[in-house]
Amino acid sequence: MFNSPLEQFQILPLFSFGVNLFDFSITNAMVTTCIGLGFFLFIFYSLFSYGFTSFPTRWQLVLENLYVNTAGLIWDSVGPAGQKYFPFVFVIFSFILISNLSGLVPYSFTVTSHLIQTMVLALTVFIGVIIICGSTHGFHMLSLFLPGGTSMALAFLLVPIEIVSYIFKPLSLAVRLFANMMAGHTLLKVIAGFGWAMMGSGGLLLVAHIVPLGVLVILFGLELAVALIQAYVFTILSCIYINDAIVLH
């Protein structure tokens, strides 16, 4: 597994500790997540401690743009009724964005490259959507599974299809993020390993290894764009699901 491009996705215990059947080990995934969240909280703490200025600093501009873009997503997808869910959406978007970007740092760990992590995020959104829909519409939320004007003959066919498609929403949300991050990082590792092997071979290959390194730089820029886009896609789909829960589409 040393030369495998999938080696980077291994969850390794840095400090093993367990009680009976419970494992409380500190892993590389936990450390990377804590560092990313700690960095984000440190920026917020620094800004609120020293106050926002009329001439914003770089970090203040970053956070203001993050705030405005998230609020704009909710306004465009949900409308005024969705503004009260801004803190939830903002935290989801910030966490995914930090996780995706921190995974691009060499020798770090990409938390969102694991399906279990993205599934937890997707189920959090899905459970929240169900709670919103149930508290807003009560038992009338079941009309989600039966489109208006449907005859009873078609209801026996459409209701199971609608239920299955509704259940698969969090799965598609989780797999989309997981697959994109894992595929991109795997491709980067393959190209980097190919260039390293050419450099170690010597001769003409030592000179030719510049080609895969140039491709690696381009792919890194592409992966950076994917990290930003996937955080945006996850957030906007979450906003759409919240809007569906409110208006029963």
Side-chain angles (χ1 to χ4, degrees), residues 113-137:
S113 64
H114 282 261
L115 184 60
I116 183 64
Q117 180 68 52
T118 57
M119 182 59 74
V120 169
L121 294 173
L123 286 177
T124 301
V125 174
F126 189 67
I127 293 173
V129 166
I130 293 177
I131 293 174
I132 293 171
C133 191
S135 60
T136 305
H137 304 284

Side-chain angles (χ1 to χ4, degrees), residues 30-113:
M30 180 187 297
V31 171
T32 304
T33 304
C34 292
I35 291 176
L37 291 178
F39 176 70
F40 189 74
L41 293 175
F42 173 76
I43 295 174
F44 264 103
Y45 175 77
S46 300
L47 287 176
F48 282 107
S49 296
Y50 296 101
F52 292 91
T53 61
S54 300
F55 300 96
T57 61
R58 291 189 180 94
W59 288 119
Q60 183 175 335
L61 283 174
V62 170
L63 292 179
E64 285 179 357
N65 287 329
L66 190 64
Y67 183 96
V68 170
N69 290 331
T70 306
L73 284 177
I74 300 177
W75 183 270
D76 295 337
S77 303
V78 187
Q83 294 304 306
K84 60 183 176 181
Y85 306 114
F86 171 81
F88 172 74
V89 177
F90 183 75
V91 170
I92 290 288
F93 177 60
S94 301
F95 177 78
I96 295 177
L97 184 62
I98 291 172
S99 299
N100 290 351
L101 294 179
S102 63
L104 295 174
V105 178
Y107 303 105
S108 65
F109 185 84
T110 310
V111 178
T112 49
S113 64

